[in-house]
Amino acid sequence: MSRRSLSGNVALGFFAVAFVLIAVAFGTPSWLVSDYRITGAKLDRFGLWSHCFRSLADPHDQYQRRFFVGCRWLFDPFTTGYDDIRGYLAPAFMKTTQFFFTVAFICMLIGAVLSLLYGLCCGPDMSKFVMLIWATAVVTLIAGLSGGIAVIVFASLANRNGWMPGHANNFFGWSFALACIGVIAALVSSALYFVEANIQKKKKAELKDSQSRFTLETKT
């Protein structure tokens, strides 16, 4: 039996692309960005876990005596007053996006381990080979669906009026674009892994059948 079919090789390729894109999107702060040509913009870049502001006024201070400038981690413990606006920076829809994209990222990490086992360590002669491919397909499918929910929620609610200032001049950045492409690549990879699992299952059945016939012919 051949080690992998064409679908298996292509699935590995799509998975590698999806893993890199989702990992980069997970850690970079350009999900929502401001038009750089707008000199008075308060927002610079906004990501899942870190944000960059040009001059963001404290939304809880009606006198606007405190402004936040520069890039910070969402859970920054050092900047005075930053923890007070954490609820503003991470409303319900943002927490939903963070949760589902984190699930996607964790599933891709698990899928990476399974894909390495499939691509480098395991072969069709192993009893759990088909199960390994099925597991990789399921984990990658969960990653794609979770990531899909995350990007849909973010796309629907992130650039609405009343949240980030200057929403008319804000647009979705390259991190968000990478997340979308990575989610699509993960779903394609999952579908190809399912195809590969069926192919390897049929090959195992055909090999077992041919071995049985050979045994019968030898005995006769």
Side-chain angles (χ1 to χ4, degrees):
M1 291 176 60
S2 60
R3 186 175 180 84
R4 292 190 302 270
S5 68
L6 176 61
S7 61
N9 289 324
V10 178
L12 282 173
F14 270 97
F15 182 88
V17 171
F19 179 80
V20 171
L21 296 182
I22 289 176
V24 172
F26 183 78
T28 51
S30 293
W31 282 60
L32 185 69
V33 298
S34 176
D35 191 337
Y36 68 93
R37 295 170 297 181
I38 307 299
T39 56
K42 298 179 181 180
L43 173 69
D44 186 10
R45 303 188 305 275
F46 196 96
L48 295 183
W49 310 108
S50 58
H51 324 111
C52 298
F53 299 108
R54 298 181 187 178
S55 180
L56 177 69
D58 187 339
H60 304 308
D61 182 5
Q62 60 178 334
Y63 301 106
Q64 295 192 349
R65 292 166 299 185
R66 178 187 293 161
F67 294 84
F68 298 96
V69 180
C71 297
R72 289 176 179 83
W73 181 44
L74 175 61
F75 303 102
D76 180 5
F78 304 110
T79 302
T80 302
Y82 205 67
D83 55 339
D84 297 331
I85 67 168
R86 192 169 296 142
Y88 169 77
L89 297 176
F93 84 88
M94 195 65 200
K95 292 177 180 177
T96 301
T97 302
Q98 291 169 337
F99 172 78
F100 280 104
F101 208 76
T102 299
V103 171
F105 178 65
I106 292 173
C107 286
M108 290 302 289
L109 290 176
I110 298 172
V113 176
L114 297 177
S115 294
L116 288 174
L117 290 174
Y118 164 68
L120 302 176
C121 303
C122 301
D125 55 324
M126 300 182 67
S127 59
K128 304 296 184 181
F129 186 63
V130 175
M131 186 179 297
L132 171 65
I133 304 174
W134 276 104
T136 309
V138 170
V139 169
T140 309
L141 177 61
I142 295 173
L145 293 177
S146 298
I149 294 173
V151 297
I152 289 172
V153 170
F154 190 85
S156 302
L157 300 172
N159 201 22
R160 74 187 193 281
N161 187 18
W163 186 46
M164 282 293 106
H167 76 98
N169 299 315
N170 299 335
F171 55 92
F172 298 111
W174 59 268
S175 297
F176 178 76
L178 293 185
C180 294
I181 299 172
V183 165
I184 294 172
L187 293 173
V188 173
S189 176
S190 175
L192 291 171
Y193 272 129
F194 278 117
V195 172
E196 175 69 1
N198 285 323
I199 291 174
Q200 294 297 336
K201 184 178 180 180
K202 290 180 180 179
K203 285 185 177 181
K204 269 187 173 293
E206 291 173 358
L207 179 62
K208 186 176 181 180
D209 185 56
S210 64
Q211 288 175 340
S212 299
R213 289 199 305 268
F214 178 76
T215 302
L216 289 173
E217 291 173 358
T218 303
K219 289 181 178 179
T220 56

